[in-house]
């Protein structure tokens, strides 16, 4: 059994601290209580797409207009903190608003808390390479000045009875 099984809702403070660090380094911006990662600035300085092989020009050419994107400076920016409306089930106080963390932030902040600023291996299914792990790589690189993970390991999709194996579907098997 693992010695630590953290959950994202138990690490809101760490996620907020990471956002503050990224803001202090000039790679985030706040708009109306939400905080966005400024992907264009990151791409210009570090290059985005190392894991997935995607480049932002192609992504921009193949993206569609989505509702609620008018807060962003750049269409590919992603949320690190979202202001919650009164009906949202998750919300915590922050420097920016009563809200909740973006979904890429939890792995980076919890990983750094328990494994340090750099760890050897981070893995998951191929479906996590983009955008989850690509965004983790970007925000961690800005926060610490270097990539958080040395080796990324991704497995192809495993199916059980014709469905993707997933903990959430409760159709997984263990090595035992």
């Amino acid at each position: 059994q693992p010695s630590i099984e953290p959950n994202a809702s138990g690490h809101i403070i760490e996620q907020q601290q990471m956002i503050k660090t990224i803001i202090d380094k000039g790679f985030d911006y706040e708009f109306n209580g939400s905080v966005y990662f400024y992907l264009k600035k990151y791409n210009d300085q570090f290059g985005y797409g190392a894991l997935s092989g995607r480049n932002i020009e192609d992504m921009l050419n193949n993206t569609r207009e989505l509702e609620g994107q008018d807060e962003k400076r750049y269409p590919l920016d992603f949320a690190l903190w979202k202001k919650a409306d009164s009906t949202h089930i998750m919300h915590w106080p922050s420097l920016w608003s009563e809200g909740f963390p973006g979904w890429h932030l939890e792995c980076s902040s919890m990983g750094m808390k328990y494994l340090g600023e750099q760890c050897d291996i981070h893995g998951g299914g191929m479906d996590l390479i983009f955008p989850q792990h690509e965004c983790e790589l970007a925000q961690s690189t800005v926060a610490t000045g270097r990539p958080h993970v040395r080796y990324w390991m991704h497995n192809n999709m495993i199916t059980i009875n014709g469905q993707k194996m997933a903990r959430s579907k409760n159709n997984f098997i263990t090595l035992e």
Side-chain angles (χ1 to χ4, degrees), residues 40-135:
K40 182 173 183 346
K41 182 174 182 176
Y42 176 82
N43 185 64
D44 290 347
Q45 189 166 336
F46 296 100
Y48 183 77
L51 291 176
S52 64
R54 297 175 186 232
N55 71 56
I56 62 170
E57 290 78 23
D58 289 345
M59 290 171 26
L60 284 170
N61 291 333
N62 295 315
T63 193
R64 58 191 163 93
E65 289 290 322
L66 297 173
E67 202 173 306
Q69 301 293 305
D70 54 335
E71 294 183 348
K72 296 179 179 183
R73 289 183 187 166
Y74 190 66
L76 302 177
D77 293 349
F78 58 90
L80 292 178
W81 187 264
K82 284 297 288 178
K83 181 178 181 178
D85 65 31
S86 60
T87 62
H88 201 282
I89 192 167
M90 296 187 306
H91 52 89
W92 293 269
S94 76
L95 297 171
W96 315 285
S97 67
E98 184 83 12
F100 55 95
W103 69 284
H104 306 300
L105 198 62
E106 69 274 359
C107 285
S108 300
S109 58
M110 290 187 302
M112 286 183 199
K113 177 175 181 171
Y114 296 108
L115 302 172
E117 282 191 1
Q118 198 167 48
C119 66
D120 287 330
I121 300 170
H122 187 352
M126 288 176 62
D127 57 333
L128 296 177
I129 295 172
F130 180 84
Q132 177 74 16
H133 291 165
E134 200 73 74
C135 293

Side-chain angles (χ1 to χ4, degrees), residues 15 18-19 22-23 27-28 34-38 78-82 96 100-105 135 139:
Q15 292 175 75
M18 189 170 182
I19 294 168
I22 297 169
I23 287 174
F27 283 84
D28 284 8
S34 292
V35 179
Y36 295 96
F37 187 88
Y38 194 18
F78 58 90
L80 292 178
W81 187 264
K82 284 297 288 178
W96 315 285
F100 55 95
W103 69 284
H104 306 300
L105 198 62
C135 293
Q139 65 200 14

